[in-house]
Amino acid sequence: MAQQQMGLNPGRTQHRVKQKHRAIVASVLGTAIEWYDYALYGAAASVVIGPLFFAAAGTSGEALAAFATFAVGFIARPFGGVIIGHLGDKFGRRPAMLMSIILMGIATVGIGLLPTADSWGIWAVGLLVFFRLVQGFGAGAELTGAMTLVAEYVEPRKRGWYTSLVLSTPPLGIALATISFFAVASLGDEALLGWAWRLPFLVSAVLFLLALYIRNKLEETPEYAQAMERAQDKGKSGKLPLATVFSGHWREVGLGFLAITGHNAMNYILAVFSISLMVGSGMERSQALLAVTAGSLVSVVLTPVGGWLADRWGAGRTLVVGNLSGLVLAFPIFWLLGSGRFELGLLAIAAGYALVIPCTSGAQGAFLTALFPVPVRFTGIATARELNGALVAGMSPLIAAALLEAGGGAITLPAGYLALCCLSSALAVLFGLRSTRRRYH
């Protein structure tokens, strides 16, 4: 009785805590699936997609065509991020997150069930490209939606910690995909090309159904529901989030874009380009893959530390520290990767994922969610993140490779590119801190 008189409702509080935990689990699981899909198709593209769907193009042509279908997914991501993000701001986080996981699930399982070119010819190729477009479209909103969902369920002073749990998941998804593909590859080429390559795609259906079940039980985030009620009271509920972002929040989009430039350049150079650099320097491919897989798992453990620091120091300060660390480590990392020695390559990957990525990834959720008001948060973050994904994350391995070749194999130019990306992020966040210190310190 005393609690009711004081306005407290233990049942309601318990329900909200349950919803918060459900949102965290749903977000972590969805993000793991997103990056499992990304890494799984990348592994498949390098081994089985070419022979099964593009054999008519010849040995060199089939590899090029296979990786072109990999790139298709990245082309679709910005469109999916912006459109689903717009729907998430207009109609709610829950339906947007359901849409994202359903599209990814249909596409991934569809690829696993797809007949090869021997059976369906050009139709098989067309469907493969279609499923990659659908997969990329759905994935474009997944991590942004997960960050937004968690941020709006937890206390603002703990957003760094809780969103970092989501942002620590991508390396885990990548590792699971690598392990599962290596497992089926160990069955031999005949089994792998005949039927075994489908298993990792089809097994993911279990994860999709679990994620869909959890998300279907989610309620709308309290912060979003309150914002929509206020907008209706003021007669502003009819405004289009996408139009509002580009007309009134272009500065925040630019700052968000620059804030994660160093992170994406470092992450994709370590995860993708480093393999070719280590192999080209004399390391066995299996050793290079092991170095990347083992080294990247360091960030699964340490990224929540970055989130904890973001809550204590401020998300912006933590981002600056991470990017300045990347600036200092850019040249040593490239030197170690180019040594051709496994232990030094592993040290380089681990250094990046232990000293840079935990800060730039762990603080990212708290920083980006504070940039935008609730009614346009999903759209704003998705626009900044996915544009950067297309222009920086997706292009950094190619840029690094081109600079390495332009420099005659010397690491100076690609290391300088990585250092410049980290410096641009640190400076952008520093200027942002000075002008809007009260909002996302």
Side-chain angles (χ1 to χ4, degrees):
M1 180 67 69
Q3 286 181 325
Q4 291 178 351
Q5 289 175 348
M6 294 174 61
L8 300 177
N9 187 331
R12 180 60 184 167
T13 300
Q14 185 178 11
H15 176 74
R16 182 164 178 171
V17 170
K18 184 178 180 180
Q19 283 290 309
K20 181 182 77 173
H21 292 160
R22 187 172 286 163
I24 294 169
V25 172
S27 298
V28 167
L29 184 57
T31 302
I33 291 171
E34 174 194 351
W35 288 88
Y36 175 89
D37 289 346
Y38 152 78
L40 181 61
Y41 192 86
S46 63
V47 179
V48 301
I49 297 298
L52 293 177
F53 291 90
F54 301 104
T59 304
S60 59
E62 71 180 30
L64 184 62
F67 283 112
T69 62
F70 180 69
V72 162
F74 280 92
I75 294 172
R77 284 183 69 101
F79 297 98
V82 171
I83 293 173
I84 298 178
H86 172 82
L87 296 175
D89 284 329
K90 183 69 176 175
F91 301 106
R93 314 310 194 204
R94 179 178 174 273
M97 296 301 287
L98 284 171
M99 181 180 182
S100 175
I101 200 72
I102 288 171
L103 288 175
M104 288 195 303
I106 290 173
T108 302
V109 175
I111 291 173
L113 295 173
L114 194 62
T116 64
D118 283 344
S119 303
W120 281 25
I122 194 64
W123 291 102
V125 175
L127 283 171
L128 178 65
V129 173
F130 170 75
F131 283 134
R132 280 294 294 158
L133 285 170
V134 173
Q135 194 178 54
F137 189 91
E142 179 58 39
L143 186 52
T144 294
M147 282 194 303
T148 302
L149 188 73
V150 171
E152 292 179 354
Y153 258 111
V154 303
E155 309 92 312
R157 63 187 179 88
K158 293 184 178 180
R159 279 182 177 172
W161 167 257
Y162 281 111
T163 56
S164 71
L165 297 179
V166 177
L167 288 156
S168 69
T169 310
L172 181 61
I174 293 172
L176 290 174
T178 304
I179 293 169
S180 65
F181 200 81
F182 271 131
V184 295
S186 67
L187 298 174
D189 288 348
E190 184 177 352
L192 178 65
L193 294 173
W195 54 271
W197 70 273
R198 302 179 184 275
L199 294 180
F201 289 94
L202 298 178
V203 166
S204 67
V206 178
L207 298 176
F208 282 117
L209 290 174
L210 179 60
L212 185 61
Y213 172 78
I214 296 173
R215 289 186 181 186
N216 195 46
K217 290 184 172 294
L218 281 175
E219 296 175 359
E220 198 49 75
T221 69
E223 194 171 351
Y224 177 82
Q226 293 168 7
M228 292 303 100
E229 287 179 7
R230 289 194 296 267
Q232 287 179 347
D233 292 340
K234 295 178 180 179
K236 297 181 179 180
S237 59
K239 288 191 173 182
L240 295 176
L242 186 57
T244 304
V245 165
F246 284 104
S247 64
H249 298 279
W250 58 267
R251 183 183 177 282
E252 286 82 358
V253 171
L255 178 55
F257 180 98
L258 289 171
I260 61 175
T261 292
H263 168 81
N264 276 341
M266 176 67 76
N267 192 28
Y268 279 78
I269 283 174
L270 291 177
V272 180
F273 174 73
S274 66
I275 297 174
S276 64
L277 179 56
M278 287 187 285
V279 172
S281 301
M283 192 183 300
E284 294 291 332
R285 181 172 295 276
S286 59
Q287 288 184 319
L289 288 170
L290 178 60
V292 170
T293 302
S296 64
L297 287 176
V298 173
S299 70
V300 177
V301 178
L302 294 182
T303 293
V305 176
W308 177 78
L309 290 174
D311 289 332
R312 290 181 63 87
W313 292 354
R317 295 188 187 96
T318 306
L319 276 174
V320 170
V321 169
N323 279 290
L324 291 179
S325 299
L327 173 65
V328 172
L329 289 172
F331 283 87
I333 282 175
F334 266 88
W335 181 81
L336 292 170
L337 291 174
S339 67
R341 295 171 57 184
F342 170 74
E343 63 275 13
L344 295 182
L346 176 60
L347 177 62
I349 302 295
Y353 279 116
L355 302 176
V356 181
I357 298 299
C359 289
T360 59
S361 184
Q364 190 180 133
F367 186 84
L368 293 177
T369 54
L371 278 179
F372 300 94
V374 176
V376 296
R377 179 174 287 159
F378 204 146
T379 308
I381 298 175
T383 302
R385 273 188 53 83
E386 295 309 323
L387 284 177
N388 192 282
L391 298 176
V392 178
M395 295 298 293
S396 283
L398 179 62
I399 292 172
L403 291 174
L404 187 69
E405 184 175 352
I411 65 166
T412 306
L413 291 179
Y417 164 76
L418 177 57
L420 184 62
C421 287
C422 292
L423 178 62
S424 68
S425 288
L427 292 176
V429 175
L430 280 173
F431 283 122
L433 291 178
R434 293 181 62 184
S435 61
T436 51
R437 184 178 298 274
R438 285 182 301 173
R439 196 137 62 92
Y440 49 85
H441 63 280

